[in-house]
Amino acid sequence: RGLVDTVGLFISDETGEADENGSKTALSSPGRRALRQLETAGVVRPIGVPLRLDASGAVVPECCAMGKNFATKRRAGGDGGARGRGGAAQWAAQWWAAATDAAEVIEETFDGDQKFASAVQHSTESPVVGVYARGSVARGEARAGVSDVDLVTVCWGHDTADGVRAMARLKHRLRTRLNRTGGLARPNEGRGGTKPRNGNEDEASPNEGTPADRSGENSGEDSGEDSWLARWGHLATKADVRVVTVPPPPHPAGVALAAAIAGEPLARQPPDAVESLAQCLGAETMFVLAVECAPISGPDLPALLPAAARVPPPARCLETLNADVVDALADGGERALTWALKRCVRAAFERERARAVGTASSGDVTKDVTKDVTGDVTNGVIGGVYTRDLYHCAGLASDARPELGEDLAAALCAGTHGPRAVWGALWYACGAALCVRLRDAIAYDDAGVGPR
């Protein structure tokens, strides 16, 4: 909040003219004012601040999870222990212990499958290359009862039919061991529930998952004693794990990763090797590892990745926004509608950021946005930051397009608390109308580019 609040539209009234004395006063957009009213009422709240970008468009190192400030908060509490704060500020150590426990469960699950481990056997004893905390836990900003424990697991794996089936089996077993409590799978909600959320969890399609996952089948590991959530449910709402695989050597991607583990950073390896690894991991995963992750076990991949990995990936929500909204409305469920509303909020930020980067000069984009109080405020701020936080996405997009401000604020509330909590019995009608209205305003812009 502090990053954006110092940047306002410096006008004295709705006409944008200076006052009688020639001075200018700050006036935020209607959407920004609506968000602040909701925050004051305790309905929504931001988590962290947007990430600043450098001249090349990459996230600056101090804003990454491995930055000095976040490392101190992660290890010693919310204020680094400097002021001796107790309470919530000192929960960081427990969050890191919970993430470490989840990493041990992940390693046990993959190491315990002898068939999978032998198929991808390499110079490392375990098929797991490393486990990395992501998001609020990595930044030391997780909040009890609100935040998830988000993890990224990198392991060796073959992209064959047998390898894909083995990985699907292990993922299901892993979800069972992590999020099952009392013999019943913990529902993967939060998109449609009434509990406040930070809105930063991975966006997955509401219908994703295998038939075994949706039917509640399990691998026989449904005892609460073996469940990570049974041990850490007082702290975290659930554990989310993203598993990415890299083919072992002699595949070029495996050779590049093995060389990085041995101590040769990817920045010093041949471009072809780095490109091969990037194609296997994907631009989004490379960005997540470089910017949002802190190592729990395994090599320090965030430090080994090249600076180009810190460049935000292309728009993820904007390109498929139309199809996502159509699918969600056809599904008709509250969870699907909540997911679509989140996609709309993030797509609005992606649209305005792409427009700002395309129209602003390099000087505008790379300004220090905490001091940018002159000139084209929209280009200077939204073009120089990157965020996935729903609060900041809604605020920055509404600054750029004030006419969407109140719709974005409503979508933020519904995406955080669920449409039923916001609109009651009319949740589907109101939520569907809002989705369509935002979709049309975002995807069909004045450039004449329509959605897919």
Side-chain angles (χ1 to χ4, degrees), residues 2-382:
L3 176 67
V4 182
D5 283 0
T6 57
V7 184
L9 298 180
F10 283 76
I11 50 179
S12 62
D13 53 26
E14 298 294 342
T15 64
E17 299 295 335
D19 58 21
E20 295 178 353
N21 299 325
S23 61
K24 298 182 180 180
T25 56
L27 177 66
S28 58
S29 67
R32 179 71 69 181
R33 292 198 297 272
L35 289 177
R36 288 173 180 162
Q37 290 174 356
L38 292 171
E39 184 183 359
T40 301
V43 178
V44 298
R45 57 185 175 185
I47 301 295
V49 297
L51 306 175
R52 291 188 292 113
L53 306 180
D54 60 18
S56 64
V59 177
V60 296
E62 56 266 30
C63 288
C64 297
M66 289 301 293
K68 182 178 179 181
N69 181 47
F70 291 131
T72 303
K73 291 172 63 177
R74 181 169 63 246
R75 299 294 186 179
D79 62 348
R83 302 178 185 176
R85 289 178 56 192
Q90 298 301 326
W91 280 92
Q94 287 200 35
W95 280 102
W96 194 251
T100 303
D101 188 18
E104 292 175 357
V105 173
I106 293 171
E107 293 174 343
E108 291 173 2
T109 301
F110 283 96
D111 293 344
D113 193 304
Q114 296 298 327
K115 183 177 180 181
F116 176 81
S118 61
V120 297
Q121 190 172 10
H122 182 52
S123 57
T124 55
E125 297 180 357
S126 170
V128 178
V129 174
V131 182
Y132 305 87
R134 176 192 178 192
S136 57
V137 174
R139 297 190 303 269
E141 297 174 341
R143 304 186 184 188
V146 176
S147 300
D148 306 333
V149 171
D150 297 315
L151 303 170
V152 177
T153 301
V154 181
C155 62
W156 302 111
H158 293 290
D159 191 17
T160 62
D162 291 339
V164 171
R165 283 194 292 268
M167 182 58 66
R169 182 183 70 252
L170 287 171
K171 286 182 179 179
H172 174 60
R173 186 181 303 168
L174 183 60
R175 281 191 293 267
T176 299
R177 293 192 60 185
L178 288 175
N179 292 327
R180 192 172 296 276
T181 175
L184 296 174
R186 183 180 181 89
N188 186 18
E189 294 177 350
R191 297 181 175 89
T194 57
K195 182 184 290 186
R197 309 285 296 164
N198 62 18
N200 292 321
E201 66 277 4
D202 281 344
E203 283 189 299
S205 171
N207 297 319
E208 79 169 359
T210 64
D213 299 334
R214 293 191 293 267
S215 64
E217 296 176 12
N218 58 73
S219 306
E221 301 179 44
D222 57 357
S223 171
E225 297 179 353
D226 193 43
S227 170
W228 174 89
L229 189 62
R231 297 190 292 272
W232 298 101
H234 66 284
L235 193 68
T237 57
K238 67 179 185 297
D240 275 340
V241 181
R242 174 189 293 190
V243 180
V244 293
T245 59
V246 178
H251 192 283
V255 172
L257 181 58
I261 295 173
E264 184 178 1
L266 290 170
R268 285 188 276 178
Q269 295 189 32
D272 293 344
V274 178
E275 179 64 23
S276 178
L277 181 60
Q279 289 179 357
C280 285
L281 294 178
E284 179 188 345
T285 301
M286 292 274 283
F287 177 78
V288 168
L289 285 170
V291 175
E292 301 178 8
C293 288
I296 300 175
S297 64
D300 189 357
L301 282 184
L304 296 174
L305 293 173
R310 292 187 275 108
V311 177
R316 301 187 319 181
C317 300
L318 181 60
E319 293 184 353
T320 60
L321 181 61
N322 183 62
D324 293 338
V325 170
V326 170
D327 290 345
L329 297 186
D331 180 275
E334 185 178 12
R335 181 184 175 192
L337 185 58
T338 305
W339 173 76
L341 288 168
K342 289 183 178 182
R343 302 285 286 186
C344 288
V345 173
R346 289 186 171 124
F349 169 76
E350 291 174 356
R351 167 66 76 188
E352 299 311 315
R353 180 178 179 275
R355 181 182 287 114
V357 170
T359 58
S361 65
S362 59
D364 291 329
V365 174
T366 58
K367 288 177 182 176
D368 184 351
V369 295
T370 63
K371 300 177 182 179
D372 182 11
V373 294
T374 60
D376 191 336
V377 176
T378 299
N379 284 350
V381 176
I382 198 170

